[in-house]
Amino acid sequence: MLKDVVLQLNEIIDGLIFGDTKSINWAYKSAPNKWSKKEIIGHLIDSAQINLQRFVRCTYEENFKLTYDQVEWVQGQRYQEADMSDLFGLWELLNVQIIRVLQNYPADRLKAQCDISKTSVSLHTVEWIAQDYLDHLNHHLKQIYKDN
């Protein structure tokens, strides 16, 4: 299963980094309380950071809680003011590192779990988290490419 996630992540990286992104209005906000496409990339950076930590910690730890406040993180990191090439570079490097970790994941730790919920206990395996990360990434990439 992780092999499929790795293959798809590689394709997504290539598609975003080498694709036609110049026609996208990255800074536009459809409403004051909505994220711009630039802020969506920022949110994907935050998601990559958190999930990378989950994958690494699950290699030696289990049942820990690791969550984040997505709205506050996007605001606090001021992605709207960031340069797109910097955001693309950071997003790419984080995902390359996730791929490196998942490609070499210890087979005996694939069923290790961590808690990803802020409000209640919600334990999930590394395999589930990897697939969820990929699904989440694809969901937001569809938002970015919509209406372009």
Side-chain angles (χ1 to χ4, degrees):
M1 179 185 150
L2 288 185
K3 285 183 182 182
D4 290 338
V5 170
V6 166
L7 287 172
Q8 290 177 52
L9 274 177
N10 273 314
E11 290 173 8
I12 290 169
I13 291 169
D14 288 347
L16 188 61
I17 299 304
F18 301 114
D20 178 23
T21 59
K22 294 187 185 339
S23 63
I24 296 174
N25 183 351
W26 291 99
Y28 174 74
K29 289 181 166 235
S30 63
N33 62 338
K34 296 285 186 185
W35 286 340
S36 68
K37 293 177 184 198
K38 186 184 274 194
E39 289 171 316
I40 292 172
I41 291 293
H43 168 64
L44 292 175
I45 289 168
D46 296 341
S47 174
Q49 291 180 67
I50 286 295
N51 282 288
L52 177 57
Q53 291 303 305
R54 287 173 177 158
F55 298 137
V56 170
R57 286 180 64 185
C58 276
T59 65
Y60 65 89
E61 192 176 349
E62 200 158 349
N63 301 331
F64 61 91
K65 182 182 282 289
L66 186 55
T67 65
Y68 67 110
D69 296 310
Q70 61 186 16
V71 172
E72 289 80 359
W73 281 38
V74 167
Q75 290 172 346
Q77 298 203 59
R78 306 185 63 82
Y79 290 123
Q80 188 68 4
E81 292 86 32
D83 180 84
M84 278 311 300
S85 63
D86 292 342
L87 295 180
F88 282 145
L90 181 54
W91 178 86
E92 180 183 19
L93 288 172
L94 286 165
N95 280 282
V96 166
Q97 184 61 21
I98 287 171
I99 288 169
R100 184 177 296 115
V101 169
L102 294 180
Q103 282 178 323
N104 298 291
Y105 215 83
D108 65 327
R109 297 301 298 167
L110 290 173
K111 299 299 182 196
Q113 297 182 349
C114 78
D115 185 354
I116 65 169
S117 174
K118 287 189 262 184
T119 58
S120 62
V121 175
S122 182
L123 293 169
H124 293 285
T125 66
V126 169
E127 293 173 310
W128 187 94
I129 294 167
Q131 185 62 54
D132 184 64
Y133 175 71
L134 184 64
D135 294 344
H136 177 256
L137 181 57
N138 280 316
H139 164 76
H140 284 298
L141 290 175
K142 285 179 187 172
Q143 290 178 316
I144 287 170
Y145 289 112
K146 184 175 85 172
D147 302 326
N148 281 320

